[in-house]
Amino acid sequence: HKQLSDKSQTEKSSCWEVKSRHNWAEINAMTKTSMGMTCTKFQLLDISAGARGAWGWSGAMPGGALDAAMCAEEAGSEEDLYEDLHGSGHHYSHPGGGGEQLAINELISDGSVVCAEALWDHVTMDDQELGFKAGDVIEVMDATNREWWWGRVSDGEGWFPASFVRLRVNQDEPVDDEAPRLGAGGAEAQSSKDQMRTNVINEILSTERDYIKHLRDICEGYLRQCRKRVDMFSEEQLRTIFGNIEDIYRCQKAFVKALEQKFNRERPHLSELGACFLEHQADFQIYSEYCNNHPNACVELSRLAKLSKYVYFFEACRLLQKMIDISLDGFLLTPVQKICKYPLQLAELLKYTHPQHRDFKDVEAALHAMKNVAQLINERKRRLENIDKIAQWQSSIEDWEGEDLLVRSSELIYSGELTRVIQPQAKSQQRMFFLFDHQLIYCKKDLLRRDVLYYKGRLDMDSLEVVDLEDGKDRDLHVSLKNAFRLHCGTTGDGHLLCTRKPEQKQRWLKAFAREREQVWLDQETGFIITELQRKQAMLNASKEQATGKPKAVGRPCYLTRQKHPALPSSRPQPQVLVLAEPRRKPSTFWHSISRLAPFRK
């Protein structure tokens, strides 16, 4: 490395041209064991010629970084490569350095409004930091610091990490101050609205191009290199970490191509983008699978982050692909945020689209369609969060028999006490019933401790039909029934007779059975399933919770305790992982009833 560093600039340039004839920087790593320690060596076979200037903002590669890359095999280990690349004094986290950062501050000092769009959620408990969500527009008020800027949103002002945002066109004011102003007030207002629509369209296309590059960096910079390291990653691991991101990449490329074709370059405000969203709305359904898998990816990456060779490998992939300084789990969060951002962009586009515009109805329909997609993904996220509660509930039931509840079910729909009439003696039993998707669980209360439940059986709802019975004498049992209904099996002819105490309780149960069938149908249509990994992880968490012998603390969480912080944050945070905003719901009493009837036992 020292000998190469002492070479002349001419020799370096010549070496660069030789090494840059191919289109990809391939990492071949060979693991060897020496003196009881395992190290991994990187061999850089070639580097993209089309991105020579991308290593730094000056257009040249950082001093010593290329030499380190070319001589990695002689250097000894991937830790050495990482130190040489990372210690070169160049950071690629944010384009807000040097002349560009100076230009931003000059604009601010001149009184111009400088706005930035949030790429990531910034969640903070520090009252001097500015919290925001992906897609929010922040007014930048001070950019003198490289990593932390001072900005303002509607809620207040504060510090925020510069790498979490990108500068954008201000959509609140016309960008072209020299636009011709017509004498008539109506024509002038329409011209301003057309300019606003142009800004929104340009912003949509710009963010889509950036998003395509982001997906390409993940697929080529990380996934492709991981597949070459069969000694470090299995196909199952890669499927867990990256999900179906390659399918998303292919669909987004087709979507961007369609947007470009609909873009009117001469008169951008006449562009008709709504039809593109409607044509590709079915393709956006694949985001649901990705969002469902994302928590698994975070768990797997957290496990790998404890092993140094994976940390250095991922960091080398990021540097070679010239990606910003964010960890892999932060990059993998982008598709989750993107699918929830489309309704915001379409709402802004509809705001500046005249009702007589040819694109108005399509934009309106596209907004409704993308809201449904985002709502479906949010609902699935909520369902996945519930599986831990279901596993904990099952672990609290005494004498459980048969397969785990999560094998077939993922949501509690209704619960309550029913009278079960057993044929042929017409003997009645009081049981607690819990209706989940696909199955109905019934338990018996302990005679002394009424909060303890014993498992007594389950009914397969897929093979049962709910029959509403009128009040009166039953012809088969020869007993008078009130507020009763029957669960009838068409294949075997068996039936289960159940009664409630009040008529309104019966109606609630009948509606709950209808909701259960609707839920099952919806899950089949959208392909919602619980993976084996998610089920095992939930059951493992439940067993650990039960082993502690005490319930979770209900006091104020320690992270909500307000502490004194310095004026400027000392470190740059990583993007938050789970950011899908769930709509507010009416508090449910189902889990409260379960906790009251079957708490965790010591």
Side-chain angles (χ1 to χ4, degrees):
H1 175 64
K2 185 176 185 304
Q3 291 175 354
L4 283 176
S5 299
D6 294 335
K7 286 185 178 182
S8 65
Q9 184 65 32
T10 304
E11 291 174 326
K12 287 185 179 181
S13 301
S14 176
C15 186
W16 169 263
E17 293 296 334
V18 172
K19 286 291 179 180
S20 63
R21 281 179 289 182
H22 301 286
N23 293 326
W24 181 245
E26 181 181 6
I27 304 175
N28 276 349
M30 298 169 290
T31 303
K32 69 177 185 178
T33 304
S34 176
M35 299 179 63
M37 298 180 62
T38 300
C39 64
T40 304
K41 295 173 62 179
F42 282 75
Q43 180 183 7
L44 304 185
L45 299 183
D46 40 52
I47 298 177
S48 173
R52 301 178 188 176
W55 282 86
W57 295 106
S58 60
M61 202 172 180
L66 176 60
D67 303 318
M70 294 169 57
C71 302
E73 187 173 8
E74 300 175 4
S77 70
E78 70 182 350
E79 286 88 346
D80 299 331
L81 172 65
Y82 169 76
E83 292 297 335
D84 289 336
L85 289 172
H86 207 68
S88 61
H90 291 255
H91 299 277
Y92 319 109
S93 61
H94 191 264
E100 185 168 340
Q101 185 176 359
L102 181 61
I104 296 173
N105 283 300
E106 288 180 354
L107 287 174
I108 296 174
S109 61
D110 290 343
S112 301
V113 177
V114 178
C115 292
E117 181 184 12
L119 298 173
W120 319 95
D121 280 11
H122 184 223
V123 181
T124 178
M125 295 299 172
D126 189 343
D127 53 6
Q128 295 190 11
E129 291 184 25
L130 184 65
F132 48 75
K133 291 184 176 296
D136 288 353
V137 177
I138 302 108
E139 180 183 350
V140 182
M141 304 175 67
D142 183 5
T144 55
N145 184 273
R146 177 184 174 85
E147 296 184 351
W148 287 89
W149 291 355
W150 183 270
R152 175 171 58 196
V153 293
S154 57
D155 301 44
E157 301 180 2
W159 296 104
F160 65 92
S163 61
F164 277 44
V165 302
R166 62 185 288 275
L167 296 178
R168 59 166 290 177
V169 177
N170 182 15
Q171 296 183 10
D172 294 331
E173 298 177 1
V175 176
D176 188 3
D177 293 333
E178 302 301 325
R181 293 183 171 272
L182 303 179
E188 182 179 350
Q190 182 60 40
S191 176
S192 176
K193 196 169 185 177
D194 291 344
Q195 181 61 56
M196 295 296 186
R197 192 172 199 274
T198 298
N199 293 341
V200 175
I201 290 174
N202 288 334
E203 185 67 18
I204 290 176
L205 290 172
S206 175
T207 55
E208 285 301 318
R209 296 183 189 113
D210 293 342
Y211 181 48
I212 285 294
K213 180 183 181 303
H214 186 94
L215 293 175
R216 182 177 66 248
D217 287 343
I218 295 175
C219 293
E220 297 181 356
Y222 283 101
L223 182 54
R224 182 181 295 180
Q225 298 301 335
C226 290
R227 282 189 173 138
K228 296 175 182 179
R229 293 304 312 272
V230 294
D231 58 321
M232 294 177 66
F233 302 96
S234 65
E235 279 299 322
E236 183 179 355
Q237 269 185 308
L238 295 181
R239 184 67 180 178
T240 300
I241 295 173
F242 296 97
N244 61 335
I245 197 166
E246 289 180 307
D247 297 334
I248 292 177
Y249 180 35
R250 284 191 291 268
C251 291
Q252 287 297 139
K253 285 195 295 185
F255 178 62
V256 171
K257 184 178 180 180
L259 288 178
E260 297 283 2
Q261 292 175 349
K262 293 289 186 178
F263 180 62
N264 188 330
R265 300 186 181 278
E266 296 181 356
R267 305 179 69 183
H269 68 279
L270 297 181
S271 302
E272 301 176 18
L273 305 186
C276 295
F277 284 91
L278 293 177
E279 292 170 3
H280 292 80
Q281 62 175 319
D283 297 334
F284 290 121
Q285 296 289 339
I286 63 175
Y287 277 86
S288 183
E289 178 183 344
Y290 184 88
C291 295
N292 288 341
N293 178 73
H294 185 69
N296 299 334
C298 296
V299 171
E300 182 65 18
L301 288 175
S302 298
R303 187 183 68 83
L304 297 180
K306 300 175 183 178
L307 305 175
S308 60
K309 71 174 183 178
Y310 289 96
V311 175
Y312 291 124
F313 178 83
F314 287 140
E315 180 66 2
C317 290
R318 183 188 68 80
L319 291 173
L320 289 170
Q321 192 67 17
K322 282 78 71 176
M323 301 171 73
I324 61 175
D325 190 6
I326 294 178
S327 60
L328 177 56
D329 57 348
F331 288 120
L332 294 176
L333 176 63
T334 308
V336 180
Q337 296 175 321
K338 182 64 177 178
I339 194 63
C340 294
K341 184 179 177 182
Y342 282 128
L344 303 177
Q345 291 180 323
L346 288 171
E348 193 75 2
L349 182 61
L350 184 64
K351 177 182 176 181
Y352 296 115
T353 302
H354 194 274
Q356 303 303 321
H357 197 290
R358 292 176 55 182
D359 199 27
F360 182 83
K361 291 184 177 180
D362 285 344
V363 173
E364 195 173 39
L367 174 60
H368 179 71
M370 296 310 297
K371 279 184 176 180
N372 288 340
V373 172
Q375 184 179 3
L376 175 63
I377 294 175
N378 271 325
E379 179 65 16
R380 289 191 169 190
K381 173 179 174 290
R382 184 189 65 82
R383 295 275 298 280
L384 290 175
E385 290 173 350
N386 274 344
I387 66 176
D388 283 335
K389 298 178 182 179
I390 294 177
Q392 292 170 5
W393 177 82
Q394 177 185 319
S395 66
S396 70
I397 302 299
E398 295 285 351
D399 303 334
W400 184 271
E401 296 178 1
E403 64 183 9
D404 291 333
L405 191 57
L406 290 176
V407 173
R408 300 185 60 204
S409 303
S410 60
E411 181 164 13
L412 173 68
I413 296 175
Y414 197 67
S415 65
E417 191 169 8
L418 294 173
T419 300
R420 182 176 180 230
V421 181
I422 303 177
Q423 302 177 10
Q425 299 88 358
K427 181 181 178 181
S428 63
Q429 295 177 339
Q430 293 294 323
R431 296 288 183 261
M432 281 299 302
F433 282 80
F434 301 89
L435 178 61
F436 296 86
D437 50 316
H438 296 287
Q439 51 190 325
L440 179 66
I441 307 295
Y442 55 96
C443 304
K444 177 184 177 181
K445 292 182 180 179
D446 188 270
L447 293 177
L448 298 178
R449 295 184 56 190
R450 304 295 288 177
D451 56 350
V452 176
L453 295 176
Y454 294 88
Y455 175 86
K456 287 301 176 182
R458 73 180 78 194
L459 302 176
D460 184 5
M461 295 304 302
D462 294 340
S463 60
L464 295 177
E465 179 185 0
V466 181
V467 180
D468 187 7
L469 300 179
E470 296 182 358
D471 294 346
K473 190 172 184 178
D474 185 85
R475 292 179 297 179
D476 297 330
L477 298 178
H478 303 290
V479 294
S480 296
L481 299 177
K482 191 176 182 179
N483 306 324
F485 55 89
R486 188 189 304 273
L487 302 180
H488 178 73
C489 181
T491 57
T492 64
D494 297 336
H496 305 273
L497 189 59
L498 303 173
C499 302
T500 63
R501 293 182 179 179
K502 299 178 180 180
E504 55 267 25
Q505 293 175 343
K506 174 184 174 180
Q507 294 303 317
R508 285 196 288 267
W509 271 105
L510 294 177
K511 292 179 180 179
F513 286 122
R515 290 202 309 272
E516 185 270 340
R517 289 292 89 191
E518 292 175 0
Q519 187 68 65
V520 170
W521 177 84
L522 182 61
D523 290 346
Q524 291 175 349
E525 288 292 313
T526 59
F528 177 79
I529 58 172
I530 296 178
T531 64
E532 185 71 12
L533 177 62
Q534 291 169 335
R535 184 181 67 82
K536 289 182 177 179
Q537 186 64 40
M539 297 305 298
L540 179 62
N541 294 340
S543 62
K544 290 181 179 179
E545 186 73 24
Q546 190 178 31
T548 59
K550 52 185 177 181
K552 295 181 180 179
V554 296
R556 182 178 176 84
C558 59
Y559 59 81
L560 291 180
T561 305
R562 190 172 295 277
Q563 300 177 355
K564 185 176 180 180
H565 295 276
L568 180 66
S570 58
S571 62
R572 182 168 55 239
Q574 292 296 326
Q576 301 297 312
V577 174
L578 294 178
V579 298
L580 283 181
E582 182 179 344
R584 292 189 177 183
R585 299 175 176 273
K586 183 178 180 180
S588 173
T589 60
F590 295 163
W591 293 111
H592 174 74
S593 301
I594 290 178
S595 301
R596 177 173 57 83
L597 295 170
F600 304 128
R601 298 175 295 100
K602 291 188 177 180

